[in-house]
Amino acid sequence: MTVLADEAVLDVVADGPVRVLTMNRPERKNAVDAVLHSELTYVWSRLLADRDVRVVVITGAGGAFSAGGDAEFLRAVNTDAEFRWRALDEARRLVGELVRFPLPVIAAVNGPAVGLGSSLASLCDLVLMSDTAYFADPHVLLGVAAADGAVATWPQQLGPQRAKYHLFTGEPISADQALEWGLANQVLPAQDVLPAAVALAHRLAGLPAAALRATKRAVNLHLEHQALAVMDYATTAEEGHFADPALATTIDGMTRRR
């Protein structure tokens, strides 16, 4: 393997035609700070400039996929209007980048995927999940509209009633539930998730590239239309909720419990 980029918070490693992206803040359960948020948004255009890449795998360092928004990041979104606008503009861009990214993306969900972490996984093409991992979206518990990928993808993947229950309550979705409900393709022991994802990526990389891209595009047209219909409204609502000064107390309470 070759390290193509080590941005401290998002490592990019080449394994032949496969690129492995690793969110690298294990001491914070790969919670997303401002730097990681930007890296996750703009890495996809950089990958497309790499003529050798055929498949991408995304995972987290340590025992978590991602714990969602970092406390300092959420506080800045809450208190700084300019930062808030930029962060939510990136959030819109990130969803669009993933939905339109032409190459297969596999999520190796090695541990809990919360908030933006669950959204990232839901926007990937295939999901391999640790048997101890779970998905959860606590936006509503925080006091803001659910406005990342999950609100665009879960209604179609889970059905509206089930999606609303988990978005309203923030109740986690276990790995077994995720497999049963179509949020995961495989559930494996934690130590096997990344090797299995990389092996699957190499298998896909050996398929006819043009046929694979066209098939992904055809399927993702459903998701793209759905996401475009949802994201502007959801992120605008989220922006208004994040501007509430009272949110600071909730942010402190939730992040202390992580």
Side-chain angles (χ1 to χ4, degrees):
M1 290 191 180
T2 303
V3 177
L4 294 184
D6 180 356
E7 301 293 347
V9 296
L10 185 65
D11 294 343
V12 182
V13 174
D15 182 1
V18 175
R19 301 294 176 266
V20 180
L21 311 185
T22 303
M23 294 177 281
N24 191 20
R25 301 187 76 216
E27 73 287 352
R28 301 299 297 269
K29 299 181 181 178
N30 302 313
V32 178
D33 65 357
V35 178
L36 181 54
H37 199 262
S38 290
E39 286 296 316
L40 286 168
T41 301
Y42 298 110
V43 70
W44 309 100
S45 59
R46 296 199 298 271
L47 286 167
L48 283 181
D50 180 351
R51 288 175 169 250
D52 296 325
V53 63
R54 292 291 178 269
V55 184
V56 178
V57 174
I58 184 166
T59 193
F65 186 72
S66 174
D70 180 84
E72 288 75 17
F73 178 73
L74 294 177
R75 290 190 193 101
V77 174
N78 177 222
T79 59
D80 185 329
E82 178 66 17
F83 185 89
R84 179 166 55 251
W85 180 85
R86 291 183 180 280
L88 294 177
D89 182 62
E90 282 187 349
R92 294 184 188 96
R93 287 172 181 265
L94 175 55
V95 172
E97 288 286 342
L98 272 165
V99 169
R100 296 186 180 100
F101 190 71
L103 305 177
V105 182
I106 301 171
V109 183
N110 53 307
V114 178
L116 181 57
S118 67
S119 298
L120 281 171
S122 77
L123 290 162
C124 291
D125 301 302
L126 301 173
V127 177
L128 274 59
M129 194 169 181
S130 163
D131 54 9
T132 59
Y134 59 85
F135 295 127
D137 192 322
H139 278 79
V140 171
L141 300 183
L142 182 63
V144 299
D148 292 317
V151 76
T153 58
W154 280 7
Q156 185 179 56
Q157 292 171 320
L158 301 179
Q161 266 63 42
R162 194 172 274 161
K164 282 185 278 192
Y165 177 80
H166 287 278
L167 290 169
F168 290 175
T169 67
E171 184 173 310
I173 299 172
S174 70
D176 287 341
Q177 286 173 319
L179 182 64
E180 180 183 352
W181 295 347
L183 289 178
N185 298 95
Q186 286 183 264
V187 173
L188 301 161
Q191 69 272 15
D192 296 337
V193 172
L194 182 56
V198 172
L200 178 57
H202 279 284
R203 177 182 171 190
L204 297 183
L207 298 176
L212 196 58
R213 285 196 303 270
T215 301
K216 172 173 176 172
R217 177 65 177 157
V219 175
N220 269 28
L221 282 171
H222 299 282
L223 178 57
E224 184 175 334
H225 294 157
Q226 180 176 315
L228 289 175
V230 169
M231 290 305 297
D232 279 344
Y233 169 78
T235 51
T236 299
E238 185 183 34
E239 186 172 5
H241 298 155
F242 262 118
D244 184 355
L247 196 65
T249 302
T250 310
I251 290 170
D252 289 342
M254 287 193 71
T255 52
R256 276 198 299 270
R257 290 195 294 271
R258 284 180 177 168

